[in-house]
Amino acid sequence: MSAHPPYRLLRLNKPYGVLSQFTPEGRWRGLKDVLPVPGVYACGRLDADSEGLLLLTDDGRLQARISDPRHKLPKTYWVQVEGVPDTQALDALRRGVALRDGVTLPAQVRRLDPPPLLWPRDPPIRVRQSVPDSWIELVISEGRNRQVRRMTAAVGHPTLRLVRVAIGPYTLDGLAPGQWEDVALDARTRAAPGSVSRPRGAGAARRR
């Protein structure tokens, strides 16, 4: 029996308007438009109207470990919200907020001031001249449907833009929208992905 070729883990900066699947659907594009790599599957999902880090692999065991909420791999988001959350709103996110499907687990949250240096979104967010906006960093370990958006809305600050910058130890560093690269894999990585490391921001990377 021939040996299985090395498994792959890819990190992709998924642009706005692209689904976490290869086939398009409705007005949204599929991953095939930005990732010419067959045989890999997304580790979890990132909504079409969200941007940032998406991990993909051809290793079913690793895919399960990264995407299964039971493993509580932290996911870090930079979130542009309407208004400026006060201490009460931030503390509510830290404690957990009541959503239709139950109270969320406690989250890590901090203000991002100054705002992060990111690429312009296409299309840009809708700006209301009478309402300021601000950025927060939110770290959660659950994977409910549109959870971050529902959490910020629950504390009175609807999400305007959502960028995932880290999943556990894997970050968005060095990837522009639509760019991707292979992540070095070893037996330890496949068995137990590590804890979160704070992302430094998204810069230029080699286009594959």
Side-chain angles (χ1 to χ4, degrees):
M1 181 180 296
S2 61
H4 189 284
Y7 287 106
R8 301 182 73 176
L9 177 65
L10 312 179
R11 60 187 190 102
L12 166 72
N13 186 345
K14 187 190 78 64
Y16 178 92
V18 176
L19 295 162
S20 298
Q21 62 188 43
F22 280 85
T23 54
E25 188 173 303
R27 64 190 180 99
W28 304 119
R29 295 186 293 158
L31 286 172
K32 68 177 183 178
D33 289 344
V34 296
L35 186 65
V37 181
V40 294
Y41 303 92
C43 303
R45 64 192 300 272
L46 186 61
D47 292 328
D49 56 352
S50 299
E51 308 159 72
L53 183 62
L54 186 66
L55 298 176
L56 303 100
T57 184
D58 56 356
D59 182 348
R61 183 174 62 173
L62 180 58
Q63 182 189 35
R65 289 198 61 83
I66 292 173
S67 60
D68 193 329
R70 291 176 299 177
H71 296 299
K72 293 183 171 55
L73 203 61
K75 299 176 181 66
T76 305
Y77 298 87
W78 287 348
V79 193
Q80 186 177 17
V81 297
E82 261 190 16
V84 181
D86 58 16
T87 300
Q88 183 177 0
L90 297 178
D91 284 345
L93 293 171
R94 293 186 181 109
R95 291 192 304 269
V97 296
L99 303 178
R100 292 190 307 273
D101 49 359
V103 178
T104 63
L105 293 176
Q108 300 175 45
V109 62
R110 67 185 182 104
R111 294 187 183 91
L112 293 176
D113 188 17
L117 295 176
L118 292 171
W119 56 91
R121 203 190 77 171
D122 183 20
I125 66 165
R126 293 183 179 179
V127 177
R128 292 201 294 169
Q129 298 298 326
S130 60
V131 180
D133 60 76
S134 58
W135 286 83
I136 61 173
E137 179 182 86
L138 189 63
V139 183
I140 62 174
S141 56
E142 298 177 279
R144 305 188 197 185
N145 185 46
R146 301 182 73 79
Q147 180 174 342
V148 171
R149 295 176 186 276
R150 292 192 289 148
M151 289 176 70
T152 66
V155 298
H157 296 279
T159 291
L160 301 172
R161 186 179 180 188
L162 183 60
V163 181
R164 186 161 66 195
V165 294
I167 302 173
Y170 311 108
T171 73
L172 195 60
D173 291 348
L175 295 179
Q179 292 183 330
W180 62 275
E181 71 174 12
D182 279 276
V183 176
L185 277 181
D186 56 30
R188 181 178 177 183
T189 304
R190 289 175 56 207
S195 60
V196 71
S197 59
R198 189 172 300 283
R200 298 187 299 275
R206 291 178 295 170
R207 184 174 297 278
R208 302 296 181 116

